[in-house]
Amino acid sequence: MRTVLVTGLGGAGRTTVAAATALAAARSGQRVLLLSTDRDDTLGAVVGAPTGATPTEVAPGLWAARTDSGTHFRRELLALQERAGSLLDLLGANRLTDEELTELPGSEQFALLHALRARDAGNGHGSSSASHDLLVVDMPALPETLAVLALPEQLRRYLRRLLPAERQAARALRPMLAQLAGVPMPAQWLYETAARWDVELAAVQALIEDAGTTVRLVAEPGPAGADALRTARTGIALFGLRVDTLVANRVLPQDSPDTWLAMLAAQQQKCLTQWHEEWSPAAPPREARHLGRDPRGLDDLALLGEGLGPEAPVPAGALWEVEDRLADDDVLIWHLPLPGAVKDELSLVRRGDELVLTAGRFRRIVALPSALRRCTVSGAGLTDGVLRLRFTPDPQLWPRVQ
């Protein structure tokens, strides 16, 4: 199943573009599920029909639904409380009930990840992903989307560090260790819970990294939109996300006799020219014209959806490639495309077999490819939006040819 994650700048019309994209695909003969994360049901207003947690058919071949972060939060917390029941009883804790639970900040992000996992696994509220050709997700604003999509990889790393799987082999020794140390050892349920979370997070991470998953950016052309996209572009590349297109929304007509509108249109066209230079051919911009009103209903979406149907996924392949130059220069070069990155805002720190890479306000900890783990970093340079790291083989670790 193809997945298109629609995000962009706040107020740029992400929900409208997501709905127009989904409708265009449905009218081309695909079976499409449109998923929104907006609890206020902005999606329902756009498609002209109320939406809920259960997918509802709003047009031939198009189903729409919204995530329910409150229900998900209560269900997960009560389940965790049940698994930790013995420990809570030992501590004399009073258990929480469903009626007194209110969701905490951050619950929406986890509900979104769960929804992506459920739709991909085909067990989301009775609607099997196998029955859909395309999943279009109306994501939060771009900064929050980048943080959410980075969560699975980050949380899995935290789980591996805090509760390493190999420690489970010593569970038979925990009672004895608890007596010797005088403190209780982690219960088996904790490791089992961590293992279950790791499986779920791995599935979501696989979906995000899949070649069939792309990001569709939405922005209104202008100086503010250009500055925000220029900053976010580095984060998009850092987290290895594939962008299929940049939708320039609410594009004004160029032939308006009104001087004020003509000036705004000229400003938009200047920005569009810049976007075509920066984003083509990898993610060629498309234009969605301004209707002169807030789009409402399927007819308006059809007008906007002309040319917004999902293209073929970006071809799969290594976004970060290792160049073998051992024969010539005795080095390996790791190419990391980081368009928009600024040299003064780059920071690199190697920690064992991992690389801590910071670009502006974005940070990612990545595992080194196996060949580079036996090398030392000998240099780095940023040229034309590509960070090149030079690695020299460590003679004590690199296999010698006899």
Side-chain angles (χ1 to χ4, degrees):
M1 181 179 65
R2 172 84 193 280
T3 301
V4 177
L5 308 174
V6 182
T7 184
L9 309 186
R14 303 184 311 275
T15 301
T16 302
V17 170
T21 298
L23 181 62
R27 292 191 170 183
S28 70
Q30 299 185 60
R31 294 172 60 84
V32 185
L33 176 60
L34 174 60
L35 182 64
S36 173
T37 61
D38 189 351
R39 66 174 62 200
D40 295 327
D41 199 17
T42 306
L43 177 62
V46 170
V47 300
T51 60
T54 302
T56 303
E57 190 170 12
V58 296
L62 175 59
W63 287 261
R66 289 185 293 123
T67 58
D68 188 346
S69 58
T71 299
H72 175 261
F73 173 80
R74 290 190 295 271
R75 183 175 62 245
E76 289 296 307
L77 185 56
L78 289 174
L80 179 61
Q81 180 179 253
E82 184 64 27
R83 287 191 293 271
S86 299
L87 177 60
L88 294 176
D89 292 340
L90 179 63
L91 297 175
N94 293 321
R95 299 198 187 190
L96 299 168
T97 63
D98 188 299
E99 294 76 13
E100 63 182 307
L101 291 178
T102 56
E103 58 180 309
L104 299 176
S107 60
E108 293 184 359
Q109 290 86 339
F110 286 100
L112 171 57
L113 294 177
H114 173 77
L116 291 176
R117 163 62 172 154
R119 303 301 174 184
D120 185 57
N123 58 5
H125 301 290
S127 177
S128 172
S129 65
S131 64
H132 297 107
D133 307 305
L134 173 69
L135 172 63
V136 179
V137 186
D138 173 26
M139 300 287 290
L142 186 52
E144 184 179 348
T145 290
L146 290 177
V148 170
L149 297 181
L151 263 181
E153 181 181 66
Q154 293 173 342
L155 291 178
R156 293 185 69 203
R157 181 178 180 275
Y158 296 159
L159 285 174
R160 289 193 297 269
R161 290 290 297 272
L162 297 175
L163 294 170
E166 57 270 17
R167 296 287 180 87
Q168 299 186 49
R171 62 179 179 270
L173 300 177
R174 287 185 193 131
M176 181 180 66
L177 293 176
Q179 293 180 357
L180 293 176
V183 295
M185 294 290 106
Q188 179 61 19
W189 70 267
L190 183 59
Y191 286 93
E192 292 174 350
T193 299
R196 183 176 63 89
W197 285 350
D198 185 71
V199 170
E200 296 293 321
L201 291 169
V204 179
Q205 183 180 348
L207 172 65
I208 296 172
E209 297 175 350
D210 189 88
T213 298
T214 55
V215 173
R216 179 156 298 192
L217 297 175
V218 184
E220 192 168 343
D227 291 342
L229 281 182
R230 191 175 298 111
T231 300
R233 193 180 182 191
T234 303
I236 292 170
L238 179 62
F239 295 120
L241 303 175
R242 297 175 174 85
V243 178
D244 63 10
T245 191
L246 166 60
V247 178
N249 197 24
R250 304 189 186 117
V251 177
L252 299 170
Q254 301 183 53
D255 54 357
S256 174
D258 186 286
T259 304
W260 184 72
L261 286 178
M263 292 178 60
L264 290 179
Q267 179 178 267
Q268 286 190 339
Q269 290 303 313
K270 180 180 179 181
C271 181
L272 286 170
T273 300
Q274 180 182 356
W275 283 354
H276 278 282
E277 294 175 354
E278 293 178 351
W279 292 88
S280 297
R286 303 187 199 178
E287 300 179 15
R289 62 191 178 92
H290 202 306
L291 298 182
R293 60 184 182 278
D294 289 336
R296 287 293 184 271
L298 299 179
D299 291 339
D300 284 352
L301 292 178
L303 292 175
L304 292 175
E306 299 172 359
L308 289 186
E311 293 182 339
V314 176
L319 296 178
W320 295 5
E321 300 178 345
V322 177
E323 178 186 357
D324 185 351
R325 287 175 44 177
L326 293 177
D328 301 324
D329 304 327
D330 198 31
V331 296
L332 296 170
I333 300 180
W334 199 12
H335 296 255
L336 285 68
L338 293 176
V342 179
K343 183 178 180 180
D344 294 340
E345 297 179 351
L346 280 177
S347 172
L348 300 169
V349 178
R350 179 172 180 176
R351 295 173 58 90
D353 292 338
E354 295 179 325
L355 182 69
V356 182
L357 177 56
T358 303
R361 61 186 181 87
F362 304 105
R363 171 175 292 180
R364 185 183 181 189
I365 302 176
V366 293
L368 293 173
S370 58
L372 301 184
R373 297 173 188 174
R374 295 172 286 152
C375 302
T376 57
V377 180
S378 56
L382 179 67
T383 307
D384 297 329
V386 179
L387 177 63
R388 295 173 173 84
L389 302 178
R390 297 170 61 91
F391 288 81
T392 302
D394 187 334
Q396 297 182 354
L397 300 176
W398 200 263
R400 295 180 175 85
V401 179
Q402 300 296 333

Short mmCIF file of all heavy atoms in Angstrom, two decimals, residues 36-59:
data_model
loop_
_atom_site.label_atom_id
_atom_site.label_comp_id
_atom_site.label_asym_id
_atom_site.label_seq_id
_atom_site.Cartn_x
_atom_site.Cartn_y
_atom_site.Cartn_z
N SER A 36 -7.00 11.73 9.23
CA SER A 36 -6.67 13.05 9.76
C SER A 36 -6.29 12.95 11.23
O SER A 36 -6.80 12.10 11.96
CB SER A 36 -7.87 14.00 9.60
OG SER A 36 -7.61 15.24 10.25
N THR A 37 -5.41 13.83 11.66
CA THR A 37 -5.01 13.89 13.07
C THR A 37 -5.64 15.08 13.79
O THR A 37 -5.33 15.32 14.95
CB THR A 37 -3.47 14.00 13.17
OG1 THR A 37 -3.04 15.21 12.52
CG2 THR A 37 -2.80 12.82 12.51
N ASP A 38 -6.52 15.81 13.11
CA ASP A 38 -7.12 17.01 13.68
C ASP A 38 -8.36 16.63 14.49
O ASP A 38 -9.36 16.16 13.94
CB ASP A 38 -7.50 17.97 12.56
CG ASP A 38 -7.93 19.34 13.09
OD1 ASP A 38 -8.10 19.46 14.31
OD2 ASP A 38 -8.09 20.26 12.28
N ARG A 39 -8.31 16.84 15.79
CA ARG A 39 -9.42 16.45 16.65
C ARG A 39 -10.65 17.34 16.45
O ARG A 39 -11.76 16.99 16.86
CB ARG A 39 -8.99 16.48 18.11
CG ARG A 39 -8.66 17.86 18.64
CD ARG A 39 -8.38 17.80 20.14
NE ARG A 39 -7.23 16.99 20.43
CZ ARG A 39 -7.00 16.47 21.63
NH1 ARG A 39 -7.86 16.66 22.61
NH2 ARG A 39 -5.91 15.75 21.84
N ASP A 40 -10.49 18.51 15.84
CA ASP A 40 -11.63 19.42 15.63
C ASP A 40 -12.42 19.10 14.37
O ASP A 40 -13.32 19.84 14.00
CB ASP A 40 -11.13 20.87 15.55
CG ASP A 40 -10.54 21.33 16.88
OD1 ASP A 40 -11.02 20.88 17.93
OD2 ASP A 40 -9.58 22.12 16.85
N ASP A 41 -12.07 18.03 13.69
CA ASP A 41 -12.77 17.58 12.48
C ASP A 41 -12.79 18.65 11.39
O ASP A 41 -13.82 18.90 10.75
CB ASP A 41 -14.19 17.13 12.81
CG ASP A 41 -14.76 16.23 11.69
OD1 ASP A 41 -13.98 15.72 10.89
OD2 ASP A 41 -15.99 16.05 11.64
N THR A 42 -11.66 19.29 11.18
CA THR A 42 -11.53 20.17 10.02
C THR A 42 -11.73 19.38 8.73
O THR A 42 -12.27 19.89 7.75
CB THR A 42 -10.15 20.84 10.02
OG1 THR A 42 -9.94 21.51 11.27
CG2 THR A 42 -10.02 21.84 8.89
N LEU A 43 -11.31 18.12 8.76
CA LEU A 43 -11.47 17.26 7.60
C LEU A 43 -12.94 17.10 7.24
O LEU A 43 -13.31 17.14 6.06
CB LEU A 43 -10.84 15.89 7.86
CG LEU A 43 -10.98 14.85 6.75
CD1 LEU A 43 -10.29 15.32 5.49
CD2 LEU A 43 -10.42 13.51 7.19
N GLY A 44 -13.79 16.90 8.25
CA GLY A 44 -15.20 16.74 7.98
C GLY A 44 -15.79 17.96 7.29
O GLY A 44 -16.63 17.84 6.38
N ALA A 45 -15.36 19.15 7.70
CA ALA A 45 -15.85 20.37 7.07
C ALA A 45 -15.40 20.47 5.62
O ALA A 45 -16.13 20.95 4.76
CB ALA A 45 -15.37 21.60 7.86
N VAL A 46 -14.18 19.99 5.35
CA VAL A 46 -13.64 20.07 4.00
C VAL A 46 -14.34 19.10 3.06
O VAL A 46 -14.71 19.45 1.93
CB VAL A 46 -12.12 19.82 4.02
CG1 VAL A 46 -11.59 19.66 2.60
CG2 VAL A 46 -11.39 20.96 4.72
N VAL A 47 -14.54 17.85 3.50
CA VAL A 47 -15.14 16.84 2.62
C VAL A 47 -16.66 16.90 2.62
O VAL A 47 -17.32 16.23 1.81
CB VAL A 47 -14.69 15.41 3.00
CG1 VAL A 47 -13.19 15.29 2.88
CG2 VAL A 47 -15.16 15.04 4.40
N GLY A 48 -17.23 17.69 3.54
CA GLY A 48 -18.67 17.84 3.56
C GLY A 48 -19.41 16.75 4.28
O GLY A 48 -20.62 16.58 4.09
N ALA A 49 -18.72 15.99 5.13
CA ALA A 49 -19.36 14.93 5.91
C ALA A 49 -18.58 14.74 7.19
O ALA A 49 -17.35 14.77 7.18
CB ALA A 49 -19.42 13.63 5.12
N PRO A 50 -19.26 14.54 8.32
CA PRO A 50 -18.53 14.35 9.59
C PRO A 50 -17.72 13.06 9.57
O PRO A 50 -18.12 12.07 8.97
CB PRO A 50 -19.66 14.28 10.63
CG PRO A 50 -20.88 13.87 9.85
CD PRO A 50 -20.72 14.47 8.50
N THR A 51 -16.56 13.10 10.22
CA THR A 51 -15.69 11.93 10.28
C THR A 51 -15.43 11.56 11.73
O THR A 51 -15.46 12.42 12.62
CB THR A 51 -14.34 12.19 9.57
OG1 THR A 51 -13.68 13.28 10.21
CG2 THR A 51 -14.56 12.54 8.11
N GLY A 52 -15.15 10.28 11.97
CA GLY A 52 -14.85 9.79 13.30
C GLY A 52 -13.75 8.77 13.26
O GLY A 52 -13.03 8.64 12.24
N ALA A 53 -13.60 8.00 14.34
CA ALA A 53 -12.52 7.02 14.41
C ALA A 53 -12.75 5.87 13.44
O ALA A 53 -11.79 5.23 12.97
CB ALA A 53 -12.40 6.48 15.83
N THR A 54 -14.01 5.57 13.10
CA THR A 54 -14.32 4.50 12.15
C THR A 54 -14.38 5.08 10.74
O THR A 54 -15.08 6.07 10.51
CB THR A 54 -15.66 3.85 12.49
OG1 THR A 54 -15.60 3.34 13.82
CG2 THR A 54 -15.97 2.72 11.53
N PRO A 55 -13.65 4.51 9.78
CA PRO A 55 -13.67 5.03 8.40
C PRO A 55 -15.08 5.10 7.83
O PRO A 55 -15.87 4.17 7.97
CB PRO A 55 -12.80 4.04 7.64
CG PRO A 55 -11.89 3.46 8.67
CD PRO A 55 -12.70 3.38 9.93
N THR A 56 -15.39 6.24 7.22
CA THR A 56 -16.68 6.48 6.59
C THR A 56 -16.47 6.78 5.12
O THR A 56 -15.59 7.58 4.76
CB THR A 56 -17.40 7.67 7.26
OG1 THR A 56 -17.55 7.42 8.66
CG2 THR A 56 -18.76 7.89 6.64
N GLU A 57 -17.25 6.17 4.26
CA GLU A 57 -17.12 6.43 2.82
C GLU A 57 -17.76 7.78 2.51
O GLU A 57 -18.97 7.97 2.67
CB GLU A 57 -17.78 5.33 2.00
CG GLU A 57 -17.46 5.43 0.51
CD GLU A 57 -17.89 4.22 -0.28
OE1 GLU A 57 -18.64 3.38 0.26
OE2 GLU A 57 -17.48 4.10 -1.45
N VAL A 58 -16.94 8.73 2.08
CA VAL A 58 -17.42 10.09 1.80
C VAL A 58 -17.56 10.35 0.31
O VAL A 58 -18.13 11.37 -0.10
CB VAL A 58 -16.47 11.12 2.43
CG1 VAL A 58 -16.47 10.99 3.95
CG2 VAL A 58 -15.04 10.97 1.90
N ALA A 59 -17.02 9.45 -0.51
CA ALA A 59 -17.14 9.54 -1.96
C ALA A 59 -16.81 8.15 -2.50
O ALA A 59 -16.18 7.34 -1.80
CB ALA A 59 -16.19 10.59 -2.54
#
